[in-house]
Amino acid sequence: MSKGLQIGIGALSVFAGVALLLALGGGDDGTFQYYTSVSEYVGSGDPARASRVHGFVLEGSIAKDLPAGHVDFVIRDESGGRLPVRLAGIELPDLFADGAEVVVEGRQNGERFVATQVLAKCPSKYEAESSAERPKL
């Protein structure tokens, strides 16, 4: 067998091995989905997996504990699902408030979702206006 053929077979074997490892996944513990709703997350049955959950901050649920260095709040969705959240830190987005649309990233820990990051959606004033609202040129 020629030297070039041996190198080619070796390279092909390595490529096939890497492709097989990627296909099997080796576990998706560190990967995120885009996001799920609160109801989908609560019903998923896999609380140990890192997740992104979308919802709205429940009115009156924000409790900042500055000495302990965390913020507790509850998010809800249109289906009525609720999820208690603890942000491990006190830095919140400027748009975070009662009723704000948010995505929390983190993991379930007991009865509470422990978030490492909170993303707040911009209000609808930044969405494109309808043709009826546009001034005529």
Side-chain angles (χ1 to χ4, degrees):
M1 192 180 315
S2 73
K3 195 85 152 160
L5 184 58
Q6 289 175 349
I7 291 172
I9 291 172
L12 185 60
S13 298
V14 170
F15 177 75
V18 170
L20 181 63
L21 284 175
L22 291 175
L24 295 177
D28 60 349
D29 193 30
T31 61
F32 283 108
Q33 296 177 14
Y34 186 66
Y35 62 73
T36 60
S37 71
V38 174
S39 296
E40 290 170 341
Y41 177 76
V42 170
S44 71
D46 191 7
R49 183 173 183 209
S51 301
R52 287 184 176 170
V53 184
H54 171 263
F56 298 88
V57 178
L58 186 66
E59 303 281 334
S61 70
I62 302 171
K64 296 178 182 178
D65 189 346
L66 299 178
H70 65 261
V71 179
D72 292 330
F73 56 97
V74 177
I75 60 173
R76 60 162 179 80
D77 63 9
E78 287 89 14
S79 302
R82 292 184 180 202
L83 181 65
V85 178
R86 172 167 286 170
L87 173 63
I90 56 172
E91 293 189 31
L92 292 164
D94 292 337
L95 299 172
F96 183 84
D98 284 344
E101 187 173 358
V102 296
V103 174
V104 293
E105 295 180 358
R107 297 177 188 271
Q108 190 75 23
N109 186 359
E111 296 294 316
R112 185 179 307 273
F113 185 88
V114 178
T116 55
Q117 186 172 11
V118 175
L119 308 167
K121 183 179 177 196
C122 293
S124 61
K125 71 179 184 178
Y126 297 110
E127 292 177 1
E129 58 190 358
S130 69
S131 60
E133 297 172 347
R134 289 187 202 135
K136 297 194 181 196
L137 300 176

